[in-house]
Amino acid sequence: MGGGVMGSATAWQLASRGYAVTLLERSSAGHTEGSSHGTSRIFRLAYPDPFYVSLAARALPLWRQAEQESGRAVLTLTGAVDHGPVAAIEALHAQLERAGHVSGVLSPDQAGERWPGLRFDTSVLFHAAAGRVHADHAVLAFQEAAAAKGAVIRHRVRVAKLLRTGADRVEVVTTGDEVLTADAAVVAVGGWAPGLAAATVAGLPPLRVTQEQPLHFPAADATDWPSFIHHGGAGLTARSGRYGLAAEAGVYGLGSVDGVKVGFHGVGPVVDPDHRDRTTDLAAQAQVQEYAEHWLPGADASAPVATTCLYTITPDHDFVVDRDGPVTVLAGFSGHGFKFAPAIGELAADLVAGRAGARRFALGRTFGGAAR
Ligand SMILES: Cc1cc2nc3c(=O)[nH]c(=O)nc-3n(C[C@H](O)[C@H](O)[C@H](O)COP(=O)(O)OP(=O)(O)OC[C@H]3O[C@@H](n4cnc5c(N)ncnc54)[C@H](O)[C@@H]3O)c2cc1C
């Protein structure tokens, strides 16, 4: 259930293992109501946590495999830069080095010479095995590669109910009153998980669904830009009065065929995905423009184009990839899941096959006082 990037990657992985798979997506192909639409998402290996470094490294060959099987170009490596507080940069560098990934730290002047479109803060980490995923093409690639292996991909079919009718039996009831039975179900419904998934499995963490609003700015060489993260603190904090407190959460950006995409991370309002306001928040837009005016001299900050998208955020920003009886749930990708999608599909297929999942992504996990 759910034909965003996670459900589609899972359909591909399951079909590749010989399962009879049906993917049900309530909307049309390429729709813009959820979290997986548009032309770009950051792909990067740099995380301060070795678990995510190795998950991203696992995803890389799987992205290439999906490209090969579908015949679609999906992943473009233009590198990634991180800048901001020295401690954050050093922590990322240490994890990349430990895992044997090529990376280096530059001064702001050195980085400015190499990437004149960006202005840099404090110290700059570069790694090459990073860049962008074409989001729309990725979803299509997974669905096409799954279909080539026998999966049935059905759009405009909305699941109304999921019933557990046995230890290895589920019934899926659509809003058109069709009933499908299966040995196992995978629920990958993004921002709709608090409804459908919460009603079916035990221990789903509290999920906060927000509407985020990245902007695209024109830049002549946009498709050559590295992806970038400007971590909260240092120069960003010093200027944060200009962008609002949102800047504390950090800024992400990347080049794409639509221009240079830029957003503050996870600062949008909580919404109901079925009744959300998709109009442009002009105050939030002005803050990102202020950011671009100062930090992105290579982009035209005067001509932004806004878009909206859903984040589904867990208290610890770790994902939910776990199984309860015949139902596997993929949820809570917390604004950073896309890069891992084929590896998440692989983990989901392992769960369906009866293997244990990652404790990190477990249903029913507890969240001490401090959410990250
Ligand atoms: C602005 C923004 C920027 C991001 N940037 C990055 C980035 O740079 N790098 C990165 O790694 N990640 C990024 N992410 C996160 C990433 O895009 C998401 O983690 C990922 O797309 C989540 O995919 P999903 O399949 O879980 O959800 P979705 O894409 O929302 O898919 C869920 C699907 O389920 C369908 N559905 C819902 N209910 C039903 C039902 N009852 N029956 C049938 N179908 C149903 C929906 O229509 C939808 O298509 C970003 C997210 C946003 C919003």
Side-chain angles (χ1 to χ4, degrees), residues 1-8 24-27 31 33-37 40-43 47 157-160 188-192 196 210 212-214 252 254 261 307-312 319 330-340:
M1 275 149 266
V5 75
M6 300 305 173
S8 302
L24 304 176
E25 163 55 48
R26 64 174 219 153
S27 198
H31 76 88
E33 295 150 22
S35 303
S36 299
H37 54 281
S40 67
R41 293 293 185 279
I42 291 175
F43 179 84
Y47 269 78
V157 180
R158 183 172 183 161
V159 176
V189 292
W192 289 264
L196 193 62
T210 63
E212 304 295 329
Q213 179 183 283
Y252 67 88
L254 70 166
K261 180 177 171 185
T307 178
T308 65
C309 183
L310 294 176
Y311 271 21
T312 308
F319 313 146
L330 314 179
F333 291 97
S334 302
H336 68 117
F338 207 103
K339 64 183 73 61
F340 305 107

Side-chain angles (χ1 to χ4, degrees), residues 4 29 39 41 46 49 79 84 122 126 128 150 163 174 182 186 196 213 218 255 271 282 298 306 317 351-352:
T39 59
R41 293 293 185 279
D49 180 328
T122 315
F126 172 72
L163 305 170
T174 72
V186 179
L196 193 62
Q213 179 183 283
V271 291
L282 292 175
H317 291 213
L351 287 164
V352 170

